Amino acid sequence: MTKEARTSPLLQRAIAAWPGAEVVEPISPGTNMKDEDGLAMAADPVAQGKRTLFLAPNRGRFIRKCPGTMGLVCCNYWVMDLVEGCAMDCSYCVLQGYLTDRRIRLAVNMDDLERELDAELSATDGPIRLGTGELSDSLMFDHELGLSSMLIAMIRSRPRVQLELKTKTANIENILETEPVDNVVIAWSLNAPALGKEEIGASSIERRIKAASRVVSAGWKVAFHFDPLVIHAGWEEGYRQTAAMLADAVEPGRVQWISLGALRFHPSMKDVIRRRFGPEGILRGEFVLCPDNKLRYAKPIRRSLFDTVKNALQEACPARQCTFAWRERKCGDLSSAPCLGAGPAAP
Amino acid sequence: MNPMAGAIGARLVMLADITPDPRFHCSFPHDIPALEASVARSGIINPVWLIPSEEGFKLVGGFRRYRAAAKAGLEKIPALILEGADEYTLLLLQGEENNHTRGLNLVEKAILMRSAHASFRRTHEEVIDTLFPVMGLERSMVVHDTISRVAEYGPQTQALIASSGMGAKQAALLAQFVAEERELAAGWLTNQRMGLNRCARILEALLDIRVNQGLGAAEVIDEMEKATPQDWDATRRADHIFHTLIKKGKPVLAGMERDFGDALAALLLPAQVRIRPPKNFEGRHLEVTILADRVDSLVAAIAALWKVDRERLEKLFKWI
């Protein structure tokens, strides 16, 4: 931590949650933002970085508009970087090559976040759809640090903000103990069950869906992201299975949206994935370079993936209970994450 | 202390009194014809580095000059005698000097690292702290592990790495092959005289083909050789092999290109009308070019396009 974090309640919670952890306060300003030295000497700096939680004030911006991807439909999303880095270790995770500081960084200056959010609201007329799951998992340390309660309390009084807490965990105890808020959506990343081996440290798909069901029963709105869709042995059946599990467990009327996104990554990630997870696994499939310099499955494969999952969801969800609306513009958008809005059917 | 501080000015030393110390030898490839020709013509210009030993002197820097001098039959060569120098410091200095003057290739860096570990008993951390800066390498255990493996690779692989100027990134690709397959692919690529970029793309394609189609490098190489006439010149063969192999690694894309080509041919457009899809079919527009050297030719091309059956034309836009 930096010296500014000494008085943060988050530090006290972290110490209480992980009593065996060594607490280090860097003594020189030069070492307080990065500890690349220790990580550089690790055989797997990405995995090693996940073992350090770094508490420091965020000196930059907390909230920014998601940059989207060149030439593709933008879902007009804002991201809040309260935590950067993730304790889970998914083979496809873009953070392996994206973040320069490999430790999990937790910002302690929540007051600044609140001020920045109000400034954005006064500068913007419409609603702000905001998520914390871009550079981290929103609930990964929720049982230890209780960040969701702090964020929900902040959003409750700001109805123009719609907050999405996106997770691969079943850490919902704090959510269940909190009064549901209309402008907060709890979202899960879902995949075919067999992809569980690619998501080290994440809860199983069954547990995630069960958690979603409990959250819905408690009165919360939910959303789901089938992202990244990955070609693997038995993928069609796998995605049908997840769609069926979801439809069985979650009342469609509480589902705010379902998004689909096929696997995509910067070419340099291929080396990282091969080194850390081997040459097979998620690298199986035919990838092509796209104009935004990301590798994606060739278009016929993407179309097949999206069609299969879309159909699986439509089949699993009876037509009278929900409607689906594709937000896509021809096949070009198959490279992004088309959204299926699932809501009550029109009478 | 800088070992050069203890150096006695350059003096001529009998070649017979010099014994190469393999702990300091990192040159790869071992011989350079241009240097040998120069030494045969003008002798040794820059003195080699020696340290005194019981039998005379040990060679610690300038191995290729020494070999060239021996080949040229020189009896004496100029040398700097470095008295009382710490030997590991000499290794670092030698690495630094070589890296600055000619740039060490990755095999040489790997050999130096192996020597630092095996002959000078330096730990991984010590090597990263001391040898990496003089070789211009990023301070990283991942880089250390990647380059270390290069010293254990077979001669064909090392020759490819050195001749194509591969860096740690490409060496990491080679690490994905088993030894026998790596040697085979490397020898074949060296024979095709592929540049660095093409080598890397072919290695990527070979890995993709193995993962997606279950074919090993030997089978693919054999297939490429059979598909490429032996009597073509080297450049034409290399071009053909490169494009065929890349296409083999992307069968879905190749199918899209074939379908597009068939659909285009069915339009029976004049040759002056060219229609191209975006690269990898990732984009929103077809590129339509009309080559016209006069108005009549332009009008004829437009008329031909105008007459095309719309349904057939739609096929071109299937993936756009």
Side-chain angles (χ1 to χ4, degrees):
Chain A
M1 63 172 172
T2 60
K3 65 179 180 192
E4 296 95 329
R6 264 187 222 150
T7 52
S8 165
L10 287 173
L11 174 68
Q12 300 316 314
R13 290 185 199 178
I15 290 171
W18 297 289
E22 183 188 7
V23 181
V24 180
E25 184 181 335
I27 45 171
S28 95
T31 60
N32 67 0
M33 299 309 282
K34 280 182 142 193
D35 179 26
E36 288 300 318
D37 190 54
L39 293 181
M41 291 305 197
D44 184 351
V46 177
Q48 186 66 26
K50 292 175 185 294
R51 299 175 60 85
T52 303
L53 177 65
F54 182 52
L55 290 91
N58 179 3
R59 303 290 187 202
R61 290 184 65 80
F62 275 103
I63 300 166
R64 62 194 163 85
K65 206 149 188 257
C66 174
T69 287
M70 183 178 70
L72 301 175
V73 175
C74 174
C75 49
N76 200 24
Y77 201 67
W78 293 66
V79 291
M80 181 197 285
D81 299 333
L82 182 61
V83 185
E84 294 179 9
C86 183
M88 283 163 252
D89 200 356
C90 301
S91 62
Y92 51 75
C93 182
V94 68
L95 299 180
Q96 295 173 94
Y98 182 73
L99 294 176
T100 50
D101 189 344
R102 300 196 182 280
R103 296 168 301 176
I104 299 170
R105 271 192 65 125
L106 170 60
V108 292
N109 47 336
M110 295 281 277
D111 294 350
D112 291 339
L113 164 63
E114 207 159 349
R115 270 193 290 275
E116 199 180 314
L117 183 57
D118 284 334
E120 283 299 345
L121 280 169
S122 27
T124 314
D125 288 333
I128 290 182
R129 192 168 153 241
L130 183 65
T132 59
E134 171 90 353
L135 298 179
S136 188
D137 182 288
S138 303
L139 300 181
M140 65 177 176
F141 292 151
D142 209 50
H143 290 170
E144 291 82 6
L145 303 178
L147 287 175
S148 70
S149 312
M150 296 163 84
L151 285 173
I152 291 169
M154 188 188 298
I155 298 302
R156 191 184 291 275
S157 57
R158 292 168 174 84
R160 269 174 56 212
V161 179
Q162 184 179 49
L163 175 69
E164 181 184 34
L165 298 173
K166 200 190 308 183
T167 188
K168 288 192 184 99
T169 73
N171 297 346
I172 51 164
E173 299 311 319
N174 288 332
I175 304 285
L176 295 178
E177 284 170 16
T178 308
E179 184 69 23
V181 187
D182 206 41
N183 56 333
V184 174
V185 176
I186 316 299
W188 276 267
S189 293
L190 294 180
N191 224 310
L195 263 290
K197 65 178 188 295
E198 304 291 338
E199 298 176 333
I200 299 164
S203 296
S204 69
I205 298 299
E206 291 87 339
R207 287 194 67 206
R208 286 179 228 176
I209 291 176
K210 202 171 168 189
S213 168
R214 291 178 67 199
V215 163
V216 165
S217 300
W220 291 88
K221 292 175 179 171
V222 292
F224 299 96
H225 301 275
F226 284 78
D227 192 0
L229 298 173
V230 176
I231 295 287
H232 60 280
W235 64 270
E236 287 141 311
E237 186 46 39
Y239 286 116
R240 277 190 211 107
Q241 214 179 318
T242 300
M245 270 195 277
L246 182 59
D248 278 350
V250 178
E251 180 200 335
R254 301 301 293 173
V255 179
Q256 297 303 292
W257 54 79
I258 298 174
S259 79
L260 312 184
L263 177 62
R264 58 213 175 271
F265 49 87
H266 189 270
S268 62
M269 280 282 294
K270 219 172 169 182
D271 293 335
V272 179
I273 295 169
R274 270 201 202 108
R275 176 167 47 79
R276 302 195 63 234
F277 298 95
E280 304 209 357
I282 61 156
L283 293 180
R284 192 184 289 273
E286 184 175 330
F287 295 93
V288 294
L289 191 62
C290 296
D292 62 351
N293 204 28
K294 282 182 188 161
L295 290 169
R296 292 183 172 84
Y297 293 125
K299 267 186 186 172
I301 305 173
R302 297 210 297 274
R303 173 168 285 178
S304 171
L305 261 173
F306 285 124
D307 284 351
T308 302
V309 179
K310 186 183 80 167
N311 292 339
L313 286 164
Q314 283 175 324
E315 282 164 22
C317 182
R320 288 190 177 201
Q321 288 183 356
C322 65
T323 56
F324 290 94
W326 278 98
R327 277 185 49 201
E328 72 167 298
R329 258 190 317 186
K330 295 188 65 184
C331 189
D333 296 333
L334 291 177
S335 41
S336 66
C339 291
L340 292 169
Chain B
M1 187 185 87
N2 185 336
M4 289 302 168
I8 301 166
R11 66 183 230 207
L12 288 172
V13 176
M14 295 290 291
L15 213 62
D17 291 340
I18 302 173
T19 308
D21 186 336
R23 296 176 302 159
F24 294 88
H25 182 219
C26 71
S27 306
F28 187 92
H30 303 305
D31 303 307
I32 300 179
L35 177 66
E36 287 167 6
S38 163
V39 169
R41 188 171 54 246
S42 313
I44 299 286
I45 298 167
N46 289 319
V48 299
W49 296 359
L50 304 176
I51 53 175
S53 70
E54 286 177 9
E55 297 80 25
F57 298 98
K58 282 199 287 190
L59 180 71
V60 297
F63 286 79
R64 287 200 276 212
R65 278 167 279 163
Y66 168 82
R67 285 166 68 93
K71 273 193 180 176
L74 302 184
E75 281 186 12
K76 292 180 179 176
I77 57 172
L80 284 175
I81 316 296
L82 307 169
E83 304 249 21
D86 170 67
E87 291 192 337
Y88 184 65
T89 309
L90 278 176
L91 182 82
L92 298 178
L93 206 62
Q94 203 243 88
E96 184 150 27
E97 204 260 347
N98 276 314
N99 203 39
H100 279 296
T101 51
R102 62 181 178 84
L104 291 168
N105 63 50
L106 204 66
V107 180
E108 293 172 320
K109 288 175 182 175
I111 294 171
L112 272 178
M113 283 164 61
R114 183 174 61 186
S115 188
H117 286 307
S119 303
F120 294 93
R121 302 283 163 210
R122 291 305 193 270
T123 63
H124 288 20
E125 286 76 13
E126 285 167 339
V127 167
I128 290 173
D129 281 341
T130 55
L131 192 54
F132 271 37
V134 306
M135 298 194 299
L137 291 174
E138 157 194 3
R139 200 166 181 281
S140 152
M141 192 62 80
V142 173
V143 173
H144 174 278
D145 293 348
T146 304
I147 300 179
S148 289
R149 287 194 204 102
V150 172
E152 312 308 324
Y153 287 167
Q156 303 273 20
T157 310
Q158 290 188 339
L160 176 71
I161 291 172
S163 65
S164 63
M166 282 188 180
K169 187 174 148 66
Q170 293 82 23
L173 266 180
L174 284 163
Q176 299 295 326
F177 293 86
V178 294
E180 194 182 327
E181 199 173 42
R182 183 168 51 234
E183 276 292 275
L184 177 77
W188 183 66
L189 284 171
T190 305
N191 288 339
Q192 305 309 323
R193 293 183 214 156
M194 300 278 185
L196 175 61
N197 186 36
R198 281 192 169 188
C199 278
R201 288 193 60 193
I202 285 183
L203 290 170
E204 280 276 5
L206 287 173
L207 286 174
D208 286 345
I209 291 168
R210 187 177 68 191
V211 169
N212 293 319
Q213 302 171 37
L215 294 175
E219 291 161 280
V220 178
I221 289 169
D222 190 47
E223 188 182 321
M224 292 301 117
E225 284 294 326
K226 282 178 182 154
T228 313
Q230 297 294 331
D231 56 349
W232 284 2
D233 67 56
T235 310
R236 192 177 174 199
R237 288 196 90 240
D239 278 349
H240 184 262
I241 285 171
F242 174 73
H243 292 295
T244 312
L245 206 153
I246 295 299
K247 201 167 268 192
K248 184 173 177 58
K250 308 268 181 221
V252 175
L253 189 62
M256 294 165 83
E257 283 168 354
R258 202 171 42 245
D259 291 349
F260 185 87
D262 292 347
L264 187 58
L267 298 179
L268 302 174
L269 290 169
Q272 69 195 103
V273 179
R274 295 176 187 172
I275 305 181
R276 289 198 328 182
K279 192 180 175 194
N280 296 333
F281 290 86
E282 297 292 341
R284 298 190 183 283
H285 304 102
L286 290 181
E287 185 183 309
V288 182
T289 310
I290 297 176
L291 301 173
D293 56 357
R294 61 179 75 89
V295 171
D296 289 348
S297 153
L298 178 63
V299 170
I302 294 171
L305 270 173
W306 188 253
K307 284 181 199 159
V308 169
D309 175 61
R310 193 184 167 91
E311 213 169 285
R312 286 184 169 189
L313 206 49
E314 289 280 359
K315 289 184 180 169
L316 297 184
F317 288 86
K318 183 178 177 188
W319 295 110
I320 306 303

